[in-house]
Amino acid sequence: MANKKMGLEVVSSAIISFSVFLLLASTTQAQSNGVFDVTKYGAGKDITEALTNAWKSACASTKASKVLIPSGTYWLRRVTLAGPCKAAIKLQVDGILQAPVDPDKLSGGHWVNFRYIDQFTLSGRGTFDGQGKVAWSKSTCQKYKDCDSLPMNIRFDFITNALVRDITSRDSKNFHVNVLGCKNLTFQHFTVRAPGESVNTDGIHIGRSTGIYIIDSKIGTGDDCISVGDGTEELHITGVTCGPGHGISVGSLGKYPNEKPVSGIFVKNCTISDTTNGVRIKSWPNLYGGVASNMHFEDIVMNNVQNPVIIDQVYCPWNQCSLKAPSKVKISDVSFKSIRGTSATPVAVRIACSSGFPCQNVKLANINLAYRGPGGPAKSQCSNVKPIISGIMSASGC
């Protein structure tokens, strides 16, 4: 009887050992040399679960790891890829990821959300395709509170020391990218593609973040190529091609209470083409206070751009506000230097500051913008500001 019992224990132990062996073998097969390939996690046409599981495994690794989505076209439902991870982690997307067409299947304001990750890289030749055309109609936007609650393609929340490179965002239903609470995040060779008629599809929106770099990127969309929200500090935009769209904008500011200051915005060596605005700072009248300072726009080429240079402190789209009182946002230490090219409107430079808080220390240097249409040549208009003008100023008036 004792021998029989001992035999059963030996068999049971062997089964457990074999099961552990199979588990270890499976894990080893799923990841090789720190690469966690989603196809080894059961990825089919829909890769949502496979990506989630591969991410969890990679995030738990104590060594630098990479999650791989190989070439191909895949369906991806709403997903959150979160840290903190135990080591540096990379997501390499070489395929095309397609969002559900129906916005109701993407509740929560986003499609793909990266959050609380340090030492993160998103790279590859891949595309995040939001399949957003259905969301741009007036009826759909009204259903979703004028588009605001429609899902964004990609959210980066509380990411530090990160790089996004060679990735494309296409046809988002809302903003393509939203950056919130991030520090030391770089976009390089990043591409945004959406038609000019797409609604509320800002390319990259940044808020309450520090040390954001957007370098050598191409953004064409139906709203701001890049928009800057409150609490943004040390934003560097260099070598960006923008158009179609609404240009590169700081704001809108002053719409909500307790907005954080905006400071250290540097836009340099960019080309803006066929947009409704060029480089712009905008704030709402008759609402809340705020501060925006140390903002510099330099070496910008404008090609057939409406409103190439503009500070608009009476920003009031679709008559959504009251003009009974001026903007309470204080704007100071702003420079526009070496802005050249062609304007699509007679007023090439418009500096419309708040009558309650006039702009301080605004510099215009070497502004060479041509307008050849009716009402030309190019003009400038300034109110509630005493700009410091130097060098060429082709748009007379200020």
Side-chain angles (χ1 to χ4, degrees):
M1 189 69 174
N3 289 338
K4 184 176 181 181
K5 183 177 180 181
M6 184 178 295
L8 288 172
E9 289 175 349
V10 170
V11 171
S12 177
S13 177
I15 292 172
I16 293 172
S17 298
F18 185 65
S19 298
V20 170
F21 170 77
L22 289 177
L23 179 62
L24 291 172
S26 175
T27 302
T28 303
Q29 186 179 23
Q31 64 94 11
S32 175
N33 297 322
V35 178
F36 296 78
D37 188 332
V38 296
T39 61
K40 306 298 185 182
Y41 285 82
K45 185 67 177 176
D46 186 319
I47 66 164
T48 309
E49 291 186 11
L51 174 58
T52 300
N53 291 331
W55 177 269
K56 287 179 179 178
S57 297
C59 190
S61 173
T62 56
K63 297 181 179 179
S65 60
K66 177 171 72 175
V67 176
L68 173 64
I69 301 176
S71 299
T73 300
Y74 307 95
W75 296 337
L76 181 65
R77 289 171 277 127
R78 182 174 181 265
V79 66
T80 296
L81 303 177
C85 297
K86 292 185 177 180
I89 187 166
K90 178 178 182 178
L91 173 60
Q92 180 174 324
V93 180
D94 290 331
I96 298 172
L97 308 181
Q98 293 182 329
V101 174
D102 185 356
D104 287 335
K105 295 183 179 179
L106 289 169
S107 61
H110 73 265
W111 171 29
V112 180
N113 186 196
F114 301 97
R115 55 193 295 122
Y116 297 107
I117 311 166
D118 183 37
Q119 300 182 72
F120 172 57
T121 300
L122 172 62
S123 66
R125 304 181 302 274
T127 297
F128 290 77
D129 184 357
Q131 302 202 98
K133 187 175 181 179
V134 69
W136 305 330
S137 69
K138 184 176 180 180
S139 59
T140 303
C141 278
Q142 288 174 342
K143 177 182 176 183
Y144 291 90
K145 298 179 182 178
D146 294 327
C147 300
D148 287 347
S149 61
L150 283 164
M152 305 175 191
N153 264 12
I154 310 171
R155 286 191 64 106
F156 296 96
D157 296 334
F158 312 105
I159 304 296
T160 55
N161 305 312
L163 172 65
V164 179
R165 183 172 57 198
D166 299 324
I167 291 292
T168 295
S169 174
R170 184 169 67 200
D171 293 347
S172 182
K173 296 175 176 67
N174 197 335
F175 291 4
H176 285 264
V177 171
N178 191 81
V179 175
L180 175 67
C182 296
K183 186 175 182 180
N184 193 23
L185 167 61
T186 297
F187 294 84
Q188 186 176 31
H189 302 144
F190 184 72
T191 301
V192 171
R193 292 177 184 161
E197 62 271 18
S198 57
V199 180
N200 205 42
T201 53
D202 291 29
I204 303 175
H205 177 77
I206 305 107
R208 305 208 173 194
S209 297
T210 302
I212 308 301
Y213 295 79
I214 304 173
I215 303 168
D216 299 333
S217 296
K218 296 181 180 180
I219 302 175
T221 188
D223 211 300
D224 294 331
C225 292
I226 299 169
S227 58
V228 181
D230 77 292
T232 300
E233 296 181 338
E234 293 302 320
L235 168 64
H236 298 260
I237 301 168
T238 307
V240 168
T241 299
C242 166
H246 294 180
I248 298 173
S249 296
V250 176
S252 56
L253 302 174
K255 188 176 182 180
Y256 304 103
N258 304 315
E259 290 185 353
K260 302 293 184 182
V262 172
S263 179
I265 310 299
F266 303 91
V267 181
K268 191 173 183 178
N269 189 28
C270 294
T271 299
I272 302 176
S273 304
D274 302 312
T275 55
T276 58
N277 299 283
V279 287
R280 175 171 58 158
I281 303 168
K282 52 183 176 176
S283 70
W284 292 76
N286 196 39
L287 287 173
Y288 302 98
V291 175
S293 63
N294 190 22
M295 298 174 286
H296 306 283
F297 306 86
E298 183 177 359
D299 193 17
I300 313 293
V301 175
M302 304 286 182
N303 295 315
N304 193 41
V305 171
Q306 302 174 42
N307 310 307
V309 176
I310 180 169
I311 296 179
D312 182 6
Q313 292 206 262
V314 287
Y315 178 72
C316 188
W318 309 293
N319 295 317
Q320 290 182 343
C321 60
S322 169
L323 298 175
K324 292 180 180 179
S327 174
K328 300 174 184 176
V329 176
K330 299 177 182 179
I331 293 175
S332 63
D333 301 322
V334 182
S335 66
F336 300 96
K337 296 181 179 180
S338 299
I339 313 292
R340 62 195 184 276
T342 57
S343 174
T345 49
V347 179
V349 177
R350 184 162 72 94
I351 312 296
C353 295
S354 169
S355 60
F357 299 93
C359 298
Q360 301 294 321
N361 194 26
V362 175
K363 297 179 180 179
L364 300 170
N366 293 319
I367 308 297
N368 191 5
L369 294 166
Y371 170 73
R372 298 183 177 88
K379 302 175 180 64
S380 60
Q381 294 178 351
C382 292
S383 58
N384 304 307
V385 62
K386 295 179 180 179
I388 301 166
I389 300 173
S390 62
I392 298 170
M393 184 59 177
S394 63
S396 62
C398 281

